[in-house]
Amino acid sequence: MIYVEGQVQNVVYSDEANSFYIFKMKPDASYVIGQNKNSLGVVNTSSVFRGKVIGLTVKPGAWLPLKATQKRHKKYGIQYQIEQAPFIDYWTDKSIQSVLRANGVSYYLVRMLSKNAADKGLSMREVLRSTQTLIELGLKEEIAEGLYDKWSSLFSQFKALSFVHDIIPAKKVRSVWDHFRDDVKKVLTSNPWRLLELGSFNFAEVDKIALSLGFDLDDSDLNRIEGAIQFV
């Protein structure tokens, strides 16, 4: 299993309803999972990836972090089967710089921030934890606030989508994210029956999701009772 991050070059096939894509991506970085930097560069050239990408728009220029396995297609040769996307466990400072640039933050601003952070011995994640830290690194208040808000939104989205990968059906992930936003993980781990608010889930389906999250299907659970009433 490998971790790969990079920008999509072109989309060969797209089935948005089922979150399935075939696309060509040029890796910025790649590792054998479990070996990290000792295996840097296991995918060195533009390669074809196929599989489900949960909750994100796959288009040329989009930046994606994913884990995949190498497969050999009878007709097209070596391709990579996506096992999870997005996948954020291997993010580095370079990953954060890439996701910021791919989402509209200027190259010069990212480079300046990276240099100033390195000069102070700070990681990118550390400097993006507060507006005040960004101001202390030389950013004007308005720019610091905008950058902090953008990073917070992006990281919350990637983290939430990574969490729901094996929990929510792929075709419903985007609507769940749009409804709950940053509270997705909190909602699912405290009261998954709130998914019934969306109208696209049935009660049995939510019960199954609750079981996968470790909940008991207790008939006296008030959250479950309220969900059942709402569904009816």
Side-chain angles (χ1 to χ4, degrees), residues 116-132:
N116 290 352
D119 288 345
K120 291 186 176 293
L122 299 173
S123 69
M124 288 292 290
R125 195 165 298 194
E126 287 172 329
V127 303
L128 287 162
R129 281 179 181 164
S130 73
T131 300
Q132 185 57 42

Side-chain angles (χ1 to χ4, degrees), residues 194-208:
R194 283 193 61 193
L195 289 169
L196 293 164
E197 294 173 13
L198 276 72
S200 57
F201 289 86
N202 62 51
F203 189 73
E205 189 176 14
V206 175
D207 265 357
K208 185 177 180 180

Side-chain angles (χ1 to χ4, degrees), residues 3-232:
Y3 169 78
V4 186
E5 61 182 47
Q7 281 193 303
V8 175
Q9 293 177 297
N10 64 288
V11 179
V12 178
Y13 175 80
S14 172
D15 178 1
E16 292 188 12
N18 292 297
S19 302
F20 181 88
Y21 303 89
I22 302 174
F23 56 90
K24 198 167 188 178
M25 186 170 79
K26 183 178 181 181
D28 294 331
S30 58
Y31 315 104
V32 174
I33 290 176
Q35 296 182 29
N36 206 334
K37 292 183 180 179
N38 292 328
S39 58
L40 178 64
V42 293
V43 184
N44 292 308
T45 60
S46 296
S47 302
V48 174
F49 293 81
R50 59 187 296 138
K52 291 188 176 183
V53 178
I54 306 299
L56 297 174
T57 300
V58 178
K59 61 183 181 180
W63 184 86
L64 297 176
L66 54 86
K67 65 177 178 180
T69 52
Q70 187 184 91
K71 304 287 186 181
R72 180 173 290 277
H73 192 280
K74 290 182 180 179
K75 183 176 180 180
Y76 300 110
I78 291 176
Q79 297 184 344
Y80 292 88
Q81 177 66 44
I82 298 169
E83 303 297 337
Q84 182 176 343
F87 180 73
I88 65 173
D89 292 12
Y90 272 57
W91 274 18
T92 63
D93 277 7
K94 185 178 179 181
S95 308
I96 294 171
Q97 293 165 26
S98 295
V99 75
L100 288 173
R101 288 197 301 268
N103 285 275
V105 179
S106 77
Y107 170 83
Y108 298 101
L109 178 56
V110 172
R111 187 174 67 173
M112 183 202 78
L113 184 62
S114 175
K115 181 181 181 305
N116 290 352
D119 288 345
K120 291 186 176 293
L122 299 173
S123 69
M124 288 292 290
R125 195 165 298 194
E126 287 172 329
V127 303
L128 287 162
R129 281 179 181 164
S130 73
T131 300
Q132 185 57 42
T133 306
L134 292 169
I135 292 172
E136 290 171 0
L137 287 178
L139 273 63
K140 293 182 179 179
E141 183 175 353
E142 183 178 354
I143 295 174
E145 289 175 351
L147 183 58
Y148 172 76
D149 289 344
K150 180 179 283 288
W151 165 247
S152 297
S153 176
L154 286 168
F155 186 59
S156 293
Q157 182 182 17
F158 274 104
K159 186 165 62 172
L161 294 177
S162 185
F163 172 73
V164 303
H165 180 267
D166 294 320
I167 300 171
I168 304 296
K171 64 175 67 177
K172 297 183 179 182
V173 166
R174 186 162 299 180
S175 63
V176 171
W177 167 255
D178 288 342
H179 187 73
F180 295 113
R181 307 297 293 183
D182 294 352
D183 292 329
V184 165
K185 185 174 182 178
K186 180 181 178 182
V187 167
L188 291 177
T189 55
S190 62
N191 181 9
W193 291 278
R194 283 193 61 193
L195 289 169
L196 293 164
E197 294 173 13
L198 276 72
S200 57
F201 289 86
N202 62 51
F203 189 73
E205 189 176 14
V206 175
D207 265 357
K208 185 177 180 180
I209 290 169
L211 279 172
S212 74
L213 290 165
F215 286 84
D216 293 323
L217 301 186
D218 188 342
D219 289 340
S220 64
D221 187 314
L222 292 179
N223 289 329
R224 187 166 182 253
I225 292 170
E226 289 177 6
I229 293 171
Q230 181 174 355
F231 178 67
V232 173

